[in-house]
Amino acid sequence: MRPLTEAETRTVFEKLGRYIGENIQLLVDRPDGTYCFRLHRDRVYYLSEKLLKVAASVPRESLTALGTCFGKFTKTQKFRLSVTALDFLAPYAKFKVWVKPGSEQSFLYGNHVLKSGLGRITENTAQYQGVVVYSMADIPLGFGVAAKSTQECRKVDPMAIVVFHQADVGEYVRNEDTL
Amino acid sequence: VEEVLAAAEEQEAEKRRSVVVEKELELEFDLGNLLALDRNPPPAAQLRGVGPQREVQLLALARDNTQLLVAQLWELPAERAGGAGGPLVARLPEPTFRLPREKPPPRPKPPTRWEQFARLKGIRRRKRTSLVWDEQAKEWRRRWGYRRAGGDPARAWLAEVPAGADPEEDQFARLRREKRERVARNELNRLRNLARAHRAGSAVPAAALHPTGHQSKEELSHVARVARVSTASLGRFQPRLPKEPAEPPSRSGGRKRRFEPLLGNLAAERSRQLELLKDMGSKKPVLDITRAVNKQLRQDEAEAAAAKGKKQSQRGKRGRRQ
């Protein structure tokens, strides 16, 4: 377990910034305590200082996870955000997509969101912008990348993909052992 | 009794009074080396014969000269080191006197076998061009090394069987073996030359530390590092050269990574991250392109809608005229 280096922090913040923009500083600088990021076995964890002090006394081989896992660094040092970060992305998301009840299931199985399943989308969403996917009842289902901007979404045909799937809460069941 | 006391007092006073020293010629001072040169001719009587008298006179001479040197030192600009209560410290000027060698100069290396042969035959060193014209690639390539003229020897796919050679022999293996032998032979000769020079008594191990003019950057930096560390404090108080890096390059050559401590100053970490965020935020350019595209699309839509409306109204009018 170690703190992130400058370059690693930059990568992580850039990735997070694609979804929550400048609200990252609300994650870094919290009024209710000191929270920090730590790297353990290529995974980035977000935890409070209190928890960190406790976790520091666990031997490295026995430590499985700590706090909330935001994602992991791949072999080539790219950062992949995982669904376990959803709790922290959802409240601060800048661009949101609501999915119709019919295609909720499809998204939770790992498929992309088609135009036919699109309920609402935030105005001014750029293409390839990171978005958080909600159900019509405002429950966060996961996150993804907008395949088309809002304007284009209006004109495109119903079978076109509008949101690329990146992570969904169904992964808790599907990829239980790799989370 | 009073006379004795008075005599004793006079003697004391004389001793203390001798802060002032009279000399015919002024001394030459090199305060950087704490050196005082006295060119006054000593009285001949002092140096004749050995004995306690001579010792006393020499001591007095030394004492006088030291007094003058210390007086000069006290005239230097001084300041209090470490605040008001620290000791008074004077800054010495640069030394001007060139100190003689401590050890004798190194003897030259004995010539190597090739050098002897070359001298005998009168062969002189011809300067080679660094780049060679490669016909194949039609450009100037270096003589050896990366992208050399004549192609990469490791990729040579053809090895001709020379005229008198055994047709069953593996030519590639032969080339590899010969290269290995050549390298080994050169290395052996180099070591032999080194041993010969060492035996002849010249300071050859330190020859690497003497500048020859054709040393590589790595060799020079290694030598500089060795020189820095060869002090009693192992280089901790050596001033740095103008372009030397501030922290010394690690002994493992940059292989070992160092990380921040796990539970280090969290407030500092947080402030650093916020700084980083600010830095990242300021560099992001405003996405004008997408906005422009969206605007254009909206305009197109509006135009299309207007045109449709006009067409319908026109058609309607035509219909009614009939």
Side-chain angles (χ1 to χ4, degrees), chain B residues 17-316:
Chain B
R17 222 184 343 107
S18 53
V19 171
V20 173
V21 175
E22 292 287 325
K23 289 269 179 183
E24 277 177 16
L25 275 173
E26 283 296 318
L27 267 57
E28 286 171 17
F29 294 100
D30 179 15
L31 293 174
N33 279 323
L34 292 181
L35 178 71
L37 284 170
D38 184 4
R39 294 196 188 274
N40 291 307
Q46 271 190 10
L47 301 175
R48 220 182 302 151
V50 207
Q53 194 59 269
R54 183 159 166 248
E55 286 304 317
V56 162
Q57 282 167 350
L58 284 176
L59 194 63
L61 183 63
R63 202 217 127 267
D64 287 341
N65 286 341
T66 319
Q67 178 63 60
L68 286 170
L69 178 61
V70 169
Q72 282 289 313
L73 284 175
W74 271 103
E75 282 176 22
L76 284 175
E79 60 206 16
R80 290 229 165 251
L88 199 61
V89 167
R91 191 171 294 277
L92 293 178
E94 290 293 315
T96 51
F97 187 81
R98 203 165 153 200
L99 293 168
R101 290 186 79 96
E102 183 198 339
K103 297 200 176 39
R107 289 216 292 266
K109 290 189 293 195
T112 62
R113 275 178 65 96
W114 165 253
E115 276 171 6
Q116 285 170 2
F117 179 76
R119 201 184 307 144
L120 196 65
K121 290 282 186 168
I123 302 172
R124 257 186 297 185
R125 181 153 178 73
R126 239 182 302 168
K127 186 140 166 93
R128 294 177 142 195
T129 61
S130 49
L131 298 177
V132 182
W133 179 252
D134 186 6
E135 260 315 309
Q136 282 265 313
K138 300 275 192 305
E139 64 176 3
W140 288 96
R141 291 251 172 105
R142 53 191 86 180
R143 195 180 285 277
W144 53 269
Y146 180 63
R147 291 225 190 118
R148 65 185 74 174
D152 184 8
R155 293 247 211 121
W157 51 269
L158 183 72
E160 282 187 16
V161 179
D166 176 21
E168 302 290 319
E169 191 192 359
D170 181 2
Q171 294 303 316
F172 295 108
R174 182 183 63 87
L175 289 169
R176 278 199 304 271
R177 190 184 64 238
E178 285 186 349
K179 179 170 172 98
R180 232 179 301 138
E181 285 169 7
R182 255 181 290 139
V183 167
R185 192 179 343 119
N186 282 330
E187 186 63 22
L188 182 67
N189 284 333
R190 185 181 77 85
L191 292 172
R192 262 202 230 138
N193 286 330
L194 210 62
R196 189 176 305 121
H198 189 73
R199 244 183 302 130
S202 65
V204 158
L209 302 178
H210 293 270
T212 58
H214 20 266
Q215 276 162 315
S216 70
K217 188 171 151 200
E218 285 80 25
E219 275 184 68
L220 287 173
S221 65
H222 170 70
V223 165
R225 192 159 54 233
V226 167
R228 152 176 295 281
V229 174
S230 316
T231 60
S233 326
L234 299 179
R236 272 185 66 196
F237 305 110
Q238 289 294 102
R240 300 226 154 242
L241 296 170
K243 288 207 183 143
E244 226 177 341
E247 53 112 319
S250 52
R251 276 197 305 181
S252 54
R255 275 189 292 265
K256 192 159 179 103
R257 288 178 70 181
R258 279 179 199 274
F259 302 113
E260 298 287 315
L262 176 62
L263 281 167
N265 190 357
L266 285 174
E269 188 184 327
R270 189 168 46 183
S271 60
R272 239 183 305 130
Q273 285 178 342
L274 287 172
E275 284 277 324
L276 181 64
L277 279 172
K278 216 187 321 182
D279 204 30
M280 279 166 56
S282 63
K283 287 215 187 105
K284 246 192 260 215
V286 181
L287 276 177
D288 286 320
I289 310 159
T290 39
R291 291 191 73 165
V293 163
N294 286 343
K295 218 173 174 183
Q296 189 62 35
L297 284 172
R298 266 202 298 271
Q299 263 186 347
D300 290 340
E301 271 178 20
E303 279 176 21
K308 224 174 26 171
K310 252 202 276 177
K311 253 199 235 164
Q312 278 187 348
S313 65
Q314 277 184 355
R315 237 186 279 139

Side-chain angles (χ1 to χ4, degrees), chain A residues 1-3 5-6 9-10 13-14 24-25 28-29 34 36-38 49 52-53 56 149 151 155, chain B residues 257 259-264 266 269-270 273-274 276-277 279-280 284 287 290 294 297-298 301:
Chain A
M1 185 177 19
R2 61 168 173 84
T5 62
E6 173 85 24
T9 323
R10 194 176 279 266
F13 283 178
E14 267 171 23
I24 304 179
Q25 52 191 15
V28 171
D29 196 10
T34 323
C36 55
F37 292 93
R38 287 291 180 267
E49 177 192 358
L52 175 64
K53 289 202 171 124
S149 68
Q151 290 290 335
K155 314 191 332 178
Chain B
R257 288 178 70 181
F259 302 113
E260 298 287 315
L262 176 62
L263 281 167
L266 285 174
E269 188 184 327
R270 189 168 46 183
Q273 285 178 342
L274 287 172
L276 181 64
L277 279 172
D279 204 30
M280 279 166 56
K284 246 192 260 215
L287 276 177
T290 39
N294 286 343
L297 284 172
R298 266 202 298 271
E301 271 178 20

Side-chain angles (χ1 to χ4, degrees), chain A residues 31-69:
Chain A
D32 60 335
T34 323
Y35 280 72
C36 55
F37 292 93
R38 287 291 180 267
L39 189 79
H40 178 60
R41 295 207 193 137
D42 287 332
R43 279 171 206 262
V44 174
Y45 295 98
Y46 179 69
L47 64 164
S48 64
E49 177 192 358
K50 205 162 29 86
L51 194 57
L52 175 64
K53 289 202 171 124
V54 171
S57 55
V58 176
R60 209 177 285 179
E61 303 83 36
S62 328
L63 188 62
T64 315
L66 49 158
T68 320
C69 174

